[in-house]
Amino acid sequence: MENSQVGVFLAYATSRGRALIDRRLYLPEQSWCSDPERRRAAGIPETAQFQTKPRLAWEMIAATLDAGVKAPWVTGDEAYGQDPQLRAALEARGTGYVLAVACSTRVRINSGRTTIRADTVAERLPATAWQRHSAGAGAKGPRYYDWAWIHIGTGEHRHLLIRRNRTTGELASYLCWSPATVPLAELVRVAGVRWSVEECFQAAKGQVGLDHYQVRNWTSWHRHITLAMLALAFLTALAADAADAAPKRSTDPHRPARNSEPISLTVPAGGVLLTE
């Protein structure tokens, strides 16, 4: 925000690590795209036209899938979940999604016959509809929430997923689609993976200087961001390779916790190696 520059990023998450793999610089339509003099001063190519953030996201997703990257799921926050064109494009590619939407979003239940707000659906669900699941590991252990899902529309694999904070009662809603039948636990897992992009930002800013620049030029921005993403990907691969090569730790509960084995290499630890 300080640089008046907004980037749209694509993160790739697996069980072995996560990294940023693509980026687009978002150009506001009125203040940038419609100002030829400002565009020339910043070196913006004439071919760069206004595109919404969901459209930029889809361009990156499509390019990634076309490159042969295996990605059965896509997840994102409300800015992307609210866009019907993005959801339709993912379905056309056979790629499942769990996309956050506002709780005021209206969905169709009862085989598409009834239109109702997502938060109203949550209020009317019986206690038996809620299940406790972890959305993944957090700083203090598993992130447990109450979850419920309900069929929406007329498709068998289309759901509204609702998350409820067990302490505050705060709700979060997701529109979900999958090409095949999946259990609730799988949708919960994918919803929890969305935080991978936040973790990537934190690591990239803290370890490889993603936000440590003062450029005001189209080419300069792309160069800096791309190099930072490459460095983060390198560290992620380095940590994954080190984990594969490390000796397996014993699961014997009677074994003393203290041992001479080295601790696992992490991306922050690798960041120190890179900067040195």
Side-chain angles (χ1 to χ4, degrees):
M1 296 301 294
E2 293 178 355
N3 290 316
S4 300
Q5 296 164 348
V6 178
V8 179
F9 291 81
L10 183 66
Y12 188 64
T14 75
S15 60
R16 301 180 70 234
R18 57 191 63 86
L20 301 172
I21 62 172
D22 206 349
R23 74 287 176 267
R24 295 289 190 277
L25 181 60
Y26 171 74
L27 298 174
E29 184 173 15
Q30 298 301 323
S31 57
W32 274 99
C33 290
S34 300
D35 190 334
E37 183 176 350
R38 197 176 194 186
R39 290 172 61 103
R40 284 193 297 271
I44 299 175
E46 294 183 0
T47 55
Q49 302 299 321
F50 171 74
Q51 291 180 299
T52 64
K53 294 177 183 178
R55 179 62 189 177
L56 293 173
W58 169 243
E59 282 191 354
M60 293 188 290
I61 293 169
T64 299
L65 296 175
D66 290 342
V69 176
K70 303 299 182 183
W73 291 102
V74 167
T75 183
D77 60 24
E78 292 182 17
Y80 306 97
Q82 298 287 160
D83 189 273
Q85 293 181 341
L86 175 59
R87 300 198 305 267
L90 289 169
E91 292 180 24
R93 288 292 296 254
T95 302
Y97 60 77
V98 179
L99 295 169
V101 294
C103 288
S104 59
T105 299
R106 302 182 71 84
V107 297
R108 289 186 167 275
I109 60 175
N110 297 329
S111 299
R113 295 188 297 269
T114 305
T115 302
I116 187 172
R117 283 173 55 119
D119 51 4
T120 303
V121 173
E123 293 171 359
R124 297 182 181 180
L125 289 174
T128 55
W130 297 93
Q131 301 180 34
R132 186 188 185 200
H133 287 281
S134 170
K140 300 181 180 179
R143 295 175 287 146
Y144 283 107
Y145 295 92
D146 289 332
W147 299 84
W149 62 339
I150 184 172
H151 285 286
I152 58 175
T154 57
E156 180 181 358
H157 305 142
R158 198 179 302 278
H159 294 86
L160 170 67
L161 176 67
I162 305 173
R163 186 191 73 195
R164 184 177 65 189
N165 188 295
R166 297 174 58 83
T167 302
T168 65
E170 182 183 5
L171 299 175
S173 300
Y174 305 82
L175 293 181
C176 310
W177 179 85
S178 59
T181 301
V182 296
L184 171 61
E186 177 66 359
L187 297 183
V188 170
R189 183 191 70 81
V190 177
V193 170
R194 195 200 71 78
W195 288 102
S196 294
V197 71
E198 307 298 341
E199 294 169 349
C200 284
F201 286 146
Q202 182 178 4
K205 292 177 180 180
Q207 304 301 323
V208 298
L210 181 73
D211 59 339
H212 297 174
Y213 65 91
Q214 297 180 353
V215 300
R216 296 292 187 274
N217 183 276
W218 171 274
T219 301
S220 301
W221 185 89
H222 283 86
R223 285 176 175 173
H224 179 91
I225 297 299
T226 303
L227 287 172
M229 288 169 50
L230 177 61
L232 179 65
F234 171 80
L235 295 176
T236 302
L238 188 69
D241 289 344
D244 290 342
K248 301 300 181 183
R249 292 183 179 273
S250 172
T251 57
D252 184 355
H254 301 292
R255 181 180 179 182
R258 293 178 178 271
N259 60 72
S260 59
E261 296 175 4
I263 62 174
S264 299
L265 180 67
T266 63
V267 170
V272 174
L273 293 173
L274 181 65
T275 55
E276 290 179 348

